[in-house]
Amino acid sequence: MGHNGSGEPKKTIMQLLEGSEVTKICAPMVRYSKLQFRNLVLKYGCDIAYTPMIISESFLQSEMCRNNEFTTNKSDTPLVVQFAASNPKDFADASELVAPYADGVGLNSGCPQRWAMADGYGAKLLKNPEQLKDYVRFTRAKLSAEDFAISVKIRLHKDMKTTVDMCQRLEHVGVSYIDVHGRTTDERHQPVHYDHIKTIRENVSIPVVANGDVTTLDEVHEVSQYTGCHGVMVARGLLANPAMFDGHQYTPAECIKDWVEICMNLGTPFTCFHNHLIYMMDKVATKSEKRFFNSLQSTPAVLEYLEQNIFCHSENKKQES
């Protein structure tokens, strides 16, 4: 067992989820929840961070895919690696490969995108709840350590009884916890069904993580309190404000500085570096400032802009106070 920054023993995922405080989780985000971003949010109140969804078949077959899709470091913990898999064996084998470097794995059975479902991934798995159990059983047979978490991320069935039955089946075969995005596969921007997440939580004894449209720390606590969920998972809210879990309403200059430092230390492609900053500055810059910043084409140009328009203003405010 590792240690956290304060020198205390690091808590396992299950210790966090079974604790008295709501567990704050960075969701898996394609292209965005990579190592650099995970390192950042874990500095600002995030308890658990997920990798982007990785296709297990490609991960098993290609060393290039493994090197491109999965990187980690000592600050990258607690970490859950999320896989999309079209059969239980691929999920179990891919999970076994990353187990020495992660605190848990997650199966994506919630992605509603057409390409994923056409290839047998994501929400397509919800159509066969009986087989879904095998993903957990096969993986638990390979990875029996109690402190290694095996989770499943789902969306809601249109029929709530079907959803509850599926979650209970997963519990019976040893899933550690369930992430629930509170919409059906067909729903995109409709209101999140927190009442349905609450019903799931009331009908299983394992931890449940609520996911959907949370953008502030106050909403994290409100959703947890209403649903009874042990954890709350956030995606877009963290992209716009990686310091959200620390209670900041907007991305503070210090957080932007940390992002720059992390990216420079780890070596980060410009597109990734710049795109995250575009999200972070959406609420802290004017329209004309955003238009100019978004058009920048190089890392030196971005650094010069930040130094002149963000960091110097932050230093001036500190001196004034």
PDB file of all heavy atoms in Angstrom, residues 84-101:
ATOM      1  N   ALA A  84     -13.335  -0.767 -22.737  1.00  0.00           N
ATOM      2  CA  ALA A  84     -14.490  -1.219 -23.500  1.00  0.00           C
ATOM      3  C   ALA A  84     -14.138  -2.603 -24.016  1.00  0.00           C
ATOM      4  O   ALA A  84     -13.035  -2.817 -24.520  1.00  0.00           O
ATOM      5  CB  ALA A  84     -14.767  -0.282 -24.660  1.00  0.00           C
ATOM      6  N   ALA A  85     -15.046  -3.539 -23.874  1.00  0.00           N
ATOM      7  CA  ALA A  85     -14.769  -4.910 -24.301  1.00  0.00           C
ATOM      8  C   ALA A  85     -16.027  -5.527 -24.881  1.00  0.00           C
ATOM      9  O   ALA A  85     -17.137  -5.260 -24.400  1.00  0.00           O
ATOM     10  CB  ALA A  85     -14.257  -5.751 -23.128  1.00  0.00           C
ATOM     11  N   SER A  86     -15.852  -6.348 -25.908  1.00  0.00           N
ATOM     12  CA  SER A  86     -17.004  -7.005 -26.530  1.00  0.00           C
ATOM     13  C   SER A  86     -17.152  -8.447 -26.068  1.00  0.00           C
ATOM     14  O   SER A  86     -18.079  -9.135 -26.486  1.00  0.00           O
ATOM     15  CB  SER A  86     -16.876  -6.964 -28.060  1.00  0.00           C
ATOM     16  OG  SER A  86     -15.676  -7.590 -28.477  1.00  0.00           O
ATOM     17  N   ASN A  87     -16.219  -8.906 -25.210  1.00  0.00           N
ATOM     18  CA  ASN A  87     -16.353 -10.241 -24.630  1.00  0.00           C
ATOM     19  C   ASN A  87     -15.641 -10.282 -23.285  1.00  0.00           C
ATOM     20  O   ASN A  87     -14.698  -9.504 -23.039  1.00  0.00           O
ATOM     21  CB  ASN A  87     -15.807 -11.319 -25.580  1.00  0.00           C
ATOM     22  CG  ASN A  87     -14.311 -11.190 -25.791  1.00  0.00           C
ATOM     23  OD1 ASN A  87     -13.513 -11.592 -24.964  1.00  0.00           O
ATOM     24  ND2 ASN A  87     -13.931 -10.581 -26.924  1.00  0.00           N
ATOM     25  N   PRO A  88     -16.064 -11.149 -22.376  1.00  0.00           N
ATOM     26  CA  PRO A  88     -15.519 -11.176 -21.016  1.00  0.00           C
ATOM     27  C   PRO A  88     -14.023 -11.480 -20.945  1.00  0.00           C
ATOM     28  O   PRO A  88     -13.317 -10.931 -20.101  1.00  0.00           O
ATOM     29  CB  PRO A  88     -16.329 -12.285 -20.332  1.00  0.00           C
ATOM     30  CG  PRO A  88     -17.606 -12.342 -21.098  1.00  0.00           C
ATOM     31  CD  PRO A  88     -17.235 -12.042 -22.516  1.00  0.00           C
ATOM     32  N   LYS A  89     -13.530 -12.337 -21.845  1.00  0.00           N
ATOM     33  CA  LYS A  89     -12.112 -12.720 -21.786  1.00  0.00           C
ATOM     34  C   LYS A  89     -11.206 -11.538 -22.068  1.00  0.00           C
ATOM     35  O   LYS A  89     -10.185 -11.342 -21.385  1.00  0.00           O
ATOM     36  CB  LYS A  89     -11.828 -13.855 -22.776  1.00  0.00           C
ATOM     37  CG  LYS A  89     -10.399 -14.394 -22.678  1.00  0.00           C
ATOM     38  CD  LYS A  89     -10.167 -15.547 -23.622  1.00  0.00           C
ATOM     39  CE  LYS A  89      -8.773 -16.146 -23.416  1.00  0.00           C
ATOM     40  NZ  LYS A  89      -7.682 -15.167 -23.596  1.00  0.00           N
ATOM     41  N   ASP A  90     -11.546 -10.725 -23.069  1.00  0.00           N
ATOM     42  CA  ASP A  90     -10.724  -9.553 -23.378  1.00  0.00           C
ATOM     43  C   ASP A  90     -10.657  -8.598 -22.188  1.00  0.00           C
ATOM     44  O   ASP A  90      -9.593  -8.051 -21.877  1.00  0.00           O
ATOM     45  CB  ASP A  90     -11.286  -8.808 -24.594  1.00  0.00           C
ATOM     46  CG  ASP A  90     -10.874  -9.450 -25.913  1.00  0.00           C
ATOM     47  OD1 ASP A  90     -10.114 -10.435 -25.885  1.00  0.00           O
ATOM     48  OD2 ASP A  90     -11.326  -8.958 -26.973  1.00  0.00           O
ATOM     49  N   PHE A  91     -11.800  -8.379 -21.538  1.00  0.00           N
ATOM     50  CA  PHE A  91     -11.809  -7.480 -20.383  1.00  0.00           C
ATOM     51  C   PHE A  91     -10.939  -8.035 -19.258  1.00  0.00           C
ATOM     52  O   PHE A  91     -10.139  -7.309 -18.658  1.00  0.00           O
ATOM     53  CB  PHE A  91     -13.238  -7.272 -19.885  1.00  0.00           C
ATOM     54  CG  PHE A  91     -13.338  -6.388 -18.669  1.00  0.00           C
ATOM     55  CD1 PHE A  91     -12.869  -5.080 -18.694  1.00  0.00           C
ATOM     56  CD2 PHE A  91     -13.898  -6.866 -17.483  1.00  0.00           C
ATOM     57  CE1 PHE A  91     -12.959  -4.261 -17.575  1.00  0.00           C
ATOM     58  CE2 PHE A  91     -13.985  -6.051 -16.362  1.00  0.00           C
ATOM     59  CZ  PHE A  91     -13.515  -4.750 -16.406  1.00  0.00           C
ATOM     60  N   ALA A  92     -11.058  -9.325 -18.990  1.00  0.00           N
ATOM     61  CA  ALA A  92     -10.272  -9.942 -17.919  1.00  0.00           C
ATOM     62  C   ALA A  92      -8.781  -9.906 -18.235  1.00  0.00           C
ATOM     63  O   ALA A  92      -7.957  -9.578 -17.363  1.00  0.00           O
ATOM     64  CB  ALA A  92     -10.741 -11.380 -17.700  1.00  0.00           C
ATOM     65  N   ASP A  93      -8.411 -10.221 -19.473  1.00  0.00           N
ATOM     66  CA  ASP A  93      -6.989 -10.252 -19.843  1.00  0.00           C
ATOM     67  C   ASP A  93      -6.379  -8.852 -19.829  1.00  0.00           C
ATOM     68  O   ASP A  93      -5.247  -8.659 -19.363  1.00  0.00           O
ATOM     69  CB  ASP A  93      -6.825 -10.877 -21.231  1.00  0.00           C
ATOM     70  CG  ASP A  93      -7.113 -12.370 -21.250  1.00  0.00           C
ATOM     71  OD1 ASP A  93      -7.205 -12.973 -20.156  1.00  0.00           O
ATOM     72  OD2 ASP A  93      -7.251 -12.932 -22.358  1.00  0.00           O
ATOM     73  N   ALA A  94      -7.110  -7.861 -20.341  1.00  0.00           N
ATOM     74  CA  ALA A  94      -6.603  -6.489 -20.329  1.00  0.00           C
ATOM     75  C   ALA A  94      -6.472  -5.977 -18.894  1.00  0.00           C
ATOM     76  O   ALA A  94      -5.502  -5.296 -18.547  1.00  0.00           O
ATOM     77  CB  ALA A  94      -7.530  -5.582 -21.138  1.00  0.00           C
ATOM     78  N   SER A  95      -7.445  -6.329 -18.067  1.00  0.00           N
ATOM     79  CA  SER A  95      -7.403  -5.919 -16.656  1.00  0.00           C
ATOM     80  C   SER A  95      -6.182  -6.510 -15.956  1.00  0.00           C
ATOM     81  O   SER A  95      -5.520  -5.838 -15.155  1.00  0.00           O
ATOM     82  CB  SER A  95      -8.685  -6.362 -15.942  1.00  0.00           C
ATOM     83  OG  SER A  95      -9.813  -5.724 -16.492  1.00  0.00           O
ATOM     84  N   GLU A  96      -5.870  -7.754 -16.273  1.00  0.00           N
ATOM     85  CA  GLU A  96      -4.712  -8.409 -15.666  1.00  0.00           C
ATOM     86  C   GLU A  96      -3.414  -7.700 -16.047  1.00  0.00           C
ATOM     87  O   GLU A  96      -2.497  -7.566 -15.234  1.00  0.00           O
ATOM     88  CB  GLU A  96      -4.662  -9.872 -16.102  1.00  0.00           C
ATOM     89  CG  GLU A  96      -3.607 -10.697 -15.384  1.00  0.00           C
ATOM     90  CD  GLU A  96      -3.666 -12.169 -15.774  1.00  0.00           C
ATOM     91  OE1 GLU A  96      -4.029 -12.471 -16.936  1.00  0.00           O
ATOM     92  OE2 GLU A  96      -3.347 -13.015 -14.924  1.00  0.00           O
ATOM     93  N   LEU A  97      -3.348  -7.190 -17.282  1.00  0.00           N
ATOM     94  CA  LEU A  97      -2.145  -6.480 -17.736  1.00  0.00           C
ATOM     95  C   LEU A  97      -1.895  -5.196 -16.954  1.00  0.00           C
ATOM     96  O   LEU A  97      -0.751  -4.855 -16.643  1.00  0.00           O
ATOM     97  CB  LEU A  97      -2.255  -6.143 -19.223  1.00  0.00           C
ATOM     98  CG  LEU A  97      -1.867  -7.203 -20.248  1.00  0.00           C
ATOM     99  CD1 LEU A  97      -1.990  -6.631 -21.656  1.00  0.00           C
ATOM    100  CD2 LEU A  97      -0.454  -7.708 -20.011  1.00  0.00           C
ATOM    101  N   VAL A  98      -2.973  -4.446 -16.648  1.00  0.00           N
ATOM    102  CA  VAL A  98      -2.781  -3.140 -15.992  1.00  0.00           C
ATOM    103  C   VAL A  98      -2.824  -3.225 -14.474  1.00  0.00           C
ATOM    104  O   VAL A  98      -2.462  -2.261 -13.792  1.00  0.00           O
ATOM    105  CB  VAL A  98      -3.830  -2.102 -16.468  1.00  0.00           C
ATOM    106  CG1 VAL A  98      -3.739  -1.888 -17.968  1.00  0.00           C
ATOM    107  CG2 VAL A  98      -5.241  -2.511 -16.063  1.00  0.00           C
ATOM    108  N   ALA A  99      -3.248  -4.352 -13.939  1.00  0.00           N
ATOM    109  CA  ALA A  99      -3.445  -4.468 -12.484  1.00  0.00           C
ATOM    110  C   ALA A  99      -2.232  -4.043 -11.652  1.00  0.00           C
ATOM    111  O   ALA A  99      -2.402  -3.402 -10.610  1.00  0.00           O
ATOM    112  CB  ALA A  99      -3.874  -5.895 -12.128  1.00  0.00           C
ATOM    113  N   PRO A 100      -1.001  -4.364 -12.062  1.00  0.00           N
ATOM    114  CA  PRO A 100       0.143  -3.945 -11.241  1.00  0.00           C
ATOM    115  C   PRO A 100       0.330  -2.428 -11.161  1.00  0.00           C
ATOM    116  O   PRO A 100       1.050  -1.934 -10.285  1.00  0.00           O
ATOM    117  CB  PRO A 100       1.343  -4.594 -11.948  1.00  0.00           C
ATOM    118  CG  PRO A 100       0.769  -5.700 -12.756  1.00  0.00           C
ATOM    119  CD  PRO A 100      -0.577  -5.212 -13.195  1.00  0.00           C
ATOM    120  N   TYR A 101      -0.304  -1.690 -12.067  1.00  0.00           N
ATOM    121  CA  TYR A 101      -0.079  -0.242 -12.163  1.00  0.00           C
ATOM    122  C   TYR A 101      -1.307   0.580 -11.800  1.00  0.00           C
ATOM    123  O   TYR A 101      -1.289   1.807 -11.927  1.00  0.00           O
ATOM    124  CB  TYR A 101       0.357   0.109 -13.594  1.00  0.00           C
ATOM    125  CG  TYR A 101       1.407  -0.813 -14.146  1.00  0.00           C
ATOM    126  CD1 TYR A 101       1.062  -1.813 -15.057  1.00  0.00           C
ATOM    127  CD2 TYR A 101       2.731  -0.708 -13.727  1.00  0.00           C
ATOM    128  CE1 TYR A 101       2.027  -2.684 -15.550  1.00  0.00           C
ATOM    129  CE2 TYR A 101       3.700  -1.578 -14.214  1.00  0.00           C
ATOM    130  CZ  TYR A 101       3.343  -2.570 -15.126  1.00  0.00           C
ATOM    131  OH  TYR A 101       4.302  -3.431 -15.604  1.00  0.00           O
TER     132      TYR A 101
END
